[in-house]
Amino acid sequence: MPGTDLVRLRYALTAFFALDGFVFAGWVVRIPAIKEQTGASSSALGLALLGVSAGAVVTMTLTGRLCRRYGSHLVTVVCAVLLCLSVALPPLTHSAAALGTVLLLFGAAYGGINVAFNSAAVDLVAALRRPVMPSFHAAFSLGGMIGAGLGALVAGSLSPTLHLWGLAAVGLLVTAVAGRSLMRCEPLTPADTGRSARPAPRRPDRRTRALVIVFGLIALCTAYGEGALADWGALHLEEDLGASPGAAAVGYTLFALAMTIGRLTGTTLLERLGRTRTILAGGSTATVGMLLGALAPSLPAALLGYAVTGLGLANLFPVAIERAGALAGAGGVATASTLGYGGMLLGPPAIGFMADWFSLPAALTSVAVLAAVATVIGFATRNARAA
């Protein structure tokens, strides 16, 4: 593929990563209003929100096959359309059961697009021969920050219906522009249409599948921390350190901003240090940062810990997904993504149980423990290659 086509492909994929973060964050900030609209209790809302998780996990396990069959570009565009349409559905529901049903569709689209564009990005990284994977995830983080910020600004003046329908309209417009550009680029891994004379790809051997799972565990350890800090970070600052609600909210903002900055500089870091040393440095930094964030006796020190944790975790997830995809293609991306996003879902409830058993600061140290585990795994797999 000519260099200009690779640049066009990179821009198009970056747009879809940003769109994914923008749409998802826009939905998240309206959850309280949707809860009030449906009249759901906290427990009923929790069950309804599991629809996102269930839809995402089920679809992630299938999307790798769809990418091999139809190509990751087409699957990305189709899932983007479904994501934009389905985010407009929650305001139309008036019960927790109906909300859970439409969130199954939303979660399915979210899981599908994550596997599809990560698969396309892995192929592009190989073609460019540059470790640009963190830049795509930085676009996701930036999109999320913009979506959350705009959502907070309009929450008091726009109903959830107008906000999410507007979100859907913007998303479909971006999909039309970026999707046209994406579909004009030939997939770097051709679809297996059944009409090709080339032999079917071999099924990865047992050792390769085991390595993919190992890299998926690194993604899980990273996403666990992201989910835990999103749901429990502000509460820790408010309840354990006496921060005001505004100051407590700054904690996750610093974490997210630091993670975005870390991903924007991730390509340069990977080019200088390589994948293994980036994982070792990132995991070690996150371990120290989260111990400080969880156990510091003062608010400024805890905020510093949150920021250091964000910098440390920033590039672990994209590196893990890229390595899994390099080993086993779209199927590897699907497996590692499923494990990774499973960690994001596991983190918040696990922290809650541990907080009841011990304390919230003690529970948050589990983020540091898993960051250390990711570091050890990264060192142990430093020479990993597919058989």
Side-chain angles (χ1 to χ4, degrees):
M1 180 181 289
T4 54
D5 286 345
L6 292 178
V7 171
R8 185 188 301 119
L9 176 56
R10 184 175 180 182
Y11 285 150
L13 288 176
T14 299
F16 278 110
F17 272 86
L19 173 66
D20 188 41
F22 178 76
V23 170
F24 190 80
W27 146 248
V28 167
V29 298
R30 299 316 298 252
I31 289 177
I34 297 296
K35 177 180 183 294
E36 182 179 354
Q37 172 188 298
T38 58
S41 64
S42 295
S43 58
L45 177 66
L47 289 174
L49 292 176
L50 280 176
V52 178
S53 309
V57 169
V58 170
T59 309
M60 281 178 173
T61 60
L62 300 174
T63 307
R65 299 177 188 175
L66 293 175
C67 289
R68 288 192 296 270
R69 182 70 176 85
Y70 300 105
S72 57
H73 295 184
L74 177 60
V75 176
T76 296
V77 174
V78 171
C79 288
V81 172
L82 291 176
L83 184 74
C84 296
L85 292 176
S86 59
V87 80
L89 298 178
L92 304 179
T93 62
H94 298 283
S95 69
L99 178 62
T101 302
V102 300
L103 289 181
L104 275 172
L105 178 60
F106 179 72
Y110 179 74
I113 194 173
N114 273 272
V115 171
F117 60 38
N118 271 298
S119 297
V122 166
D123 292 336
L124 181 57
V125 168
L128 292 173
R129 297 184 180 180
R130 289 192 66 210
V132 298
M133 196 70 171
S135 68
F136 294 118
H137 289 262
F140 173 86
S141 298
L142 284 171
M145 293 179 69
I146 294 171
L150 286 177
L153 286 175
V154 305
S157 56
L158 288 183
S159 67
T161 302
L162 290 177
H163 177 202
L164 294 182
W165 284 15
L167 204 66
V170 171
L172 289 172
L173 179 61
V174 172
T175 299
V177 175
R180 181 182 179 188
S181 181
L182 185 63
M183 294 304 296
R184 288 172 61 188
C185 300
E186 286 291 327
L188 297 171
T189 298
D192 181 15
T193 62
R195 296 185 295 270
S196 175
R198 60 187 178 85
R202 291 195 314 170
R203 176 183 173 85
D205 58 49
R206 183 178 300 177
R207 179 175 179 275
T208 301
R209 294 197 299 272
L211 286 172
V212 167
I213 291 173
V214 167
F215 290 126
L217 291 176
I218 293 178
L220 183 152
C221 293
T222 306
Y224 176 97
E226 193 171 351
L229 278 171
D231 283 24
W232 294 99
L235 189 65
H236 164 57
L237 298 179
E238 193 170 339
E239 291 191 351
D240 299 311
L241 298 179
S244 66
V250 169
Y252 182 72
T253 302
L254 284 176
F255 170 78
L257 181 61
M259 179 170 277
T260 302
I261 293 171
R263 286 174 169 174
L264 286 172
T265 58
T267 296
T268 301
L269 190 67
L270 283 164
E271 287 177 332
R272 292 184 177 180
L273 299 181
R275 290 173 176 82
T276 297
R277 283 188 288 178
T278 297
I279 291 177
L280 298 183
S284 302
T285 300
T287 301
V288 174
M290 198 61 243
L291 287 174
L292 177 63
L295 303 178
S298 66
L299 178 62
L303 291 175
L304 175 63
Y306 280 22
V308 171
T309 303
L311 285 174
L313 292 180
N315 295 304
L316 299 187
F317 190 97
V319 170
I321 296 298
E322 188 267 328
R323 294 198 71 184
L327 285 169
V333 172
T335 299
S337 297
T338 303
L339 286 169
Y341 288 103
M344 186 174 288
L345 303 175
L346 172 67
I351 294 291
F353 283 119
M354 286 187 284
D356 284 341
W357 295 335
F358 307 108
S359 67
L360 183 52
L364 286 172
T365 61
S366 64
V367 175
V369 171
L370 287 184
V373 169
T375 306
V376 172
I377 293 174
F379 180 78
T381 57
R382 62 192 181 279
N383 297 318
R385 297 287 187 276

